[in-house]
Amino acid sequence: MADAMVFPERPLIILGEVRTCVVPAAGALSRVEVRDLLALKPGRPVRSWERPIPMAISPTMLVGVDCLLPTGSGAKAESRGTVATNAVVVGGRVLQSSVRSVVVRSARPQREKWEHYLRSGGVAEVINKISSGIGPDLVNGFLYRPQANDTLDLASISERLLAKVRLDRGLDQRSPLLVGSTRLRWTARLGEVDAPAVDFRLEDDEIRTVQITVREIGELAVVHQFCADLAMHDWLLTAVVNVVEEADRYDTASQESARVLAAVLEHLAHLWMPGAHTPPQFLGLWQQLEMRPGFTRDWESRVGQLRNRLSVATLAALREAKVATTNW
């Protein structure tokens, strides 16, 4: 899993984004190929797990930021610090860029030297005086309001990292899957809850928003791992929908229709395992998501539809081939 975050003091909130797409390669990457792809920081190892689903994660890299934080009310929250970033490959087939920053109050109302911020990577300190109840304001500003040019731009940081990995020379750019990417923007903060709670929303075809509330600081330290797992499974669902729509462009009996449908079953269907790389304290969030919106029910229904479509396309193709070869 990605490194657990370390906080210099009680966090106000954590802001994060995960972008997910298919690895642009003709086949699933081997362990060696994944390791080479994610070796983004010389001298730092790429960590990997083989079960229950292969996953590898790059070393954590830091991006310096000196900007305003997005607020729903327009209140000024000047911040300086760093954003923690990782690239992740799941099953040799799914690529993610994960970025996040922990928002805390600065001990002094002034900008420190950059060495100070590098000691606690992935932390943005609010320099000016702010309201004690700014948490909900930051949630609304980050998740639901258009981002101003002078505010923290996790979207650009995430996109740059994803583009850097996707354009690696070791990738042949010949993916058999015609699917796009998704963005999952998330916030996490402490609250008066009996157990971690999640609010997941589909904003449009690309963007999803997630609010997570936890009881303890220790849970905040690993919440980004759950968000990456959630983003991956949401992307898998989206990929199935996109592929069925792509197949609709062709005649039912065409080889092209069968090809695009079969690609999902071959390359993605085996990766569905919600919670496989989620920290134990957040497995209850998956139970909430299985109730509403019902992730696995939706997945099984759509994959069943895809299998039926593929069977129909195969039978139609066989029927046409038989007719074509019959001597009249």
Side-chain angles (χ1 to χ4, degrees):
M1 292 292 165
D3 294 329
M5 291 179 281
V6 179
F7 313 131
E9 61 174 78
R10 183 183 177 89
L12 296 170
I13 197 171
I14 304 177
L15 309 176
E17 176 166 317
V18 183
R19 291 193 181 228
T20 308
C21 68
V22 68
V23 173
L29 301 184
S30 68
R31 281 180 291 178
V32 173
E33 289 171 330
V34 169
R35 185 188 62 205
D36 291 343
L37 181 68
L38 298 182
L40 302 177
K41 196 170 184 179
R44 293 287 301 276
V46 173
R47 290 173 296 152
S48 61
W49 297 259
E50 288 303 311
R51 294 179 175 83
I53 301 174
M55 184 181 78
I57 184 168
S58 75
T60 298
M61 297 161 291
L62 301 179
V63 177
V65 291
D66 189 344
C67 57
L68 297 175
L69 296 176
T71 59
S73 66
K76 292 192 68 173
E78 300 178 25
S79 69
R80 197 181 206 206
T82 58
V83 174
T85 74
N86 296 96
V88 181
V89 173
V90 182
R93 256 298 165 215
V94 181
L95 172 64
Q96 295 182 298
S97 62
S98 174
V99 305
R100 65 270 177 198
S101 191
V102 183
V103 179
V104 302
R105 295 177 187 273
S106 177
R108 298 191 297 174
Q110 64 184 46
R111 284 171 168 78
E112 306 285 354
K113 294 183 178 179
W114 278 108
E115 289 81 357
H116 165 79
Y117 302 106
L118 293 173
R119 285 197 292 269
S120 53
V123 175
E125 298 185 7
V126 180
I127 300 167
N128 62 308
K129 186 175 181 180
I130 55 173
S131 166
S132 59
I134 197 172
D137 199 14
L138 289 171
V139 170
N140 290 331
F142 179 69
L143 294 183
Y144 307 121
R145 299 293 175 87
Q147 302 294 292
N149 292 333
D150 56 352
T151 60
L152 179 65
D153 188 1
L154 294 187
S156 293
I157 296 173
S158 178
E159 176 58 26
R160 283 199 301 270
L161 175 58
L162 193 70
K164 177 180 179 179
V165 179
R166 291 177 70 174
L167 295 176
D168 187 274
R169 293 181 180 180
L171 301 175
D172 59 25
Q173 308 298 323
R174 295 170 51 215
S175 172
L177 295 156
L178 300 176
V179 293
S181 62
T182 58
R183 294 171 53 197
L184 185 142
R185 293 204 307 255
W186 60 272
T187 64
R189 58 195 180 102
L190 296 170
E192 296 181 0
V193 292
D194 295 329
V198 60
D199 179 9
F200 174 83
R201 303 183 189 180
L202 296 177
E203 302 296 337
D204 55 35
D205 291 342
E206 180 188 18
I207 297 175
R208 291 84 171 90
T209 58
V210 177
Q211 292 186 50
I212 299 173
T213 309
V214 302
R215 300 167 297 178
E216 303 171 359
I217 290 181
E219 293 170 331
L220 284 179
V222 293
V223 68
H224 58 291
Q225 298 173 11
F226 163 76
C227 292
D229 198 18
L230 173 58
M232 199 270 286
H233 285 83
D234 170 74
W235 178 83
L236 287 173
L237 269 173
T238 305
V240 171
V241 174
N242 291 346
V243 165
V244 171
E245 291 177 351
E246 175 69 14
D248 286 339
R249 297 173 50 197
Y250 306 103
D251 182 76
T252 302
S254 72
Q255 291 185 353
E256 199 62 23
S257 177
R259 182 190 66 78
V260 297
L261 293 170
V264 171
L265 297 179
E266 178 183 356
H267 296 280
L268 300 182
H270 63 289
L271 299 180
W272 185 264
M273 197 177 294
H277 293 297
T278 288
Q281 55 267 56
F282 290 110
L283 291 176
L285 296 184
W286 275 113
Q287 295 176 3
Q288 296 177 39
L289 292 167
E290 295 294 11
M291 293 178 63
R292 188 175 62 87
F295 264 68
T296 297
R297 291 196 306 273
D298 195 2
W299 171 259
E300 291 175 347
S301 173
R302 294 186 184 279
V303 170
Q305 178 194 18
L306 190 151
R307 292 182 189 278
N308 292 338
R309 290 280 300 272
L310 182 58
S311 296
V312 171
T314 302
L315 289 172
L318 289 173
R319 187 162 51 246
E320 286 200 0
K322 183 177 180 180
V323 170
T325 57
T326 299
N327 294 322
W328 296 96

